[in-house]
Amino acid sequence: MNLTVFGATGRTGRAVLTVAAAAGLPTTAHVRDPARLAGAPAGRIVTGSVFERDTVLDALDGATAVVVAFGLRRRERRVPLYAQGTRNVVDAMHLLGVHRLLVVSEAAYGDHVHGAVQRGLAKLYAAPAVRGRREQDAVVTASGLDWTVVRPAALTEGPARGHRPPATAPRRADTYRLTYADLAELILQALPDPATYRRSLYP
């Protein structure tokens, strides 16, 4: 597997690069600012915006699998990163014949939230961010690719400590918090597994 990571400077992206390097996998990180990788190992770094077609194509050169791990700060939530950024990646994948896509999203809106209390809390999310995630879902599910969407509910820093098997339906609220390292391990396990194609996973 030759892995390209978009959103590679975020905590999830850096964790994926670290776990992939430990597994001996060749990786490419697509980043706006290489300094923000903060030492995360990437075999190749492509600098640019996901809104720049040429750099997206460059990052996908030789790839066999793609992880999209976009995240927006609160002040950036009106930036169309989730939908348009993912659409640009999907279009480039089709052009280059890359089929495997895993998108890291969240379990915080719509049918991905379990229970009335959780639905009430989900309404606290800024509307533009939720709209962006919904639009990203539509791009992914209509892509025709071998896609998986991973939807963690709560993430925390810390070393890998072992993750429970992901569910295929939203979980009830509990105290379980997944570390970024364990999320990265889960992602690398899911990527080659056809049983995860065209479904959401809830760690």
Side-chain angles (χ1 to χ4, degrees):
M1 186 166 56
N2 193 328
L3 182 62
T4 295
V5 181
F6 291 91
T9 59
R11 286 176 289 186
T12 298
R14 295 196 307 267
V16 170
L17 290 173
T18 300
V19 171
L25 298 178
T27 58
T28 297
H30 184 272
V31 300
R32 286 183 295 175
D33 179 4
R36 292 183 58 204
L37 281 169
R44 188 167 73 101
I45 298 172
V46 175
T47 302
S49 165
V50 75
F51 301 112
E52 298 169 349
R53 181 174 182 270
D54 288 348
T55 67
V56 173
L57 288 169
D58 186 9
L60 289 171
D61 184 27
T64 57
V66 175
V67 170
V68 170
F70 294 147
L72 287 172
R73 298 181 181 90
R74 187 174 296 276
R75 66 178 181 273
E76 299 173 329
R77 284 183 173 177
R78 293 188 182 276
V79 176
L81 177 64
Y82 296 141
Q84 190 58 52
T86 304
R87 184 175 290 109
N88 293 347
V89 172
V90 166
D91 289 347
M93 290 176 68
H94 279 296
L95 189 63
L96 296 178
V98 184
H99 301 288
R100 183 65 174 122
L101 172 66
L102 188 147
V103 174
V104 182
S105 184
E106 52 196 289
Y109 60 93
D111 294 339
H112 308 297
V113 183
H114 192 294
V117 172
Q118 288 173 274
R119 291 180 192 281
L121 292 174
K123 292 179 181 178
L124 297 176
Y125 272 65
V130 172
R131 183 164 58 248
R133 285 300 193 191
R134 291 182 185 275
E135 291 171 354
Q136 182 183 46
D137 290 345
V139 170
V140 172
T141 57
S143 68
L145 300 172
D146 296 329
W147 58 266
T148 303
V149 180
V150 178
R151 302 181 183 278
L155 291 165
T156 187
E157 299 285 2
R161 56 195 183 197
H163 60 83
R164 61 187 180 185
T168 56
R171 298 180 186 270
R172 292 184 180 274
D174 59 23
T175 59
Y176 181 78
R177 296 178 71 86
L178 188 71
T179 69
Y180 289 95
D182 281 321
L183 174 61
E185 292 280 4
L186 186 158
I187 287 169
L188 258 67
Q189 290 174 18
L191 278 168
D193 184 1
T196 69
Y197 291 3
R198 299 184 179 87
R199 62 176 53 195
S200 288
L201 300 181
Y202 301 85

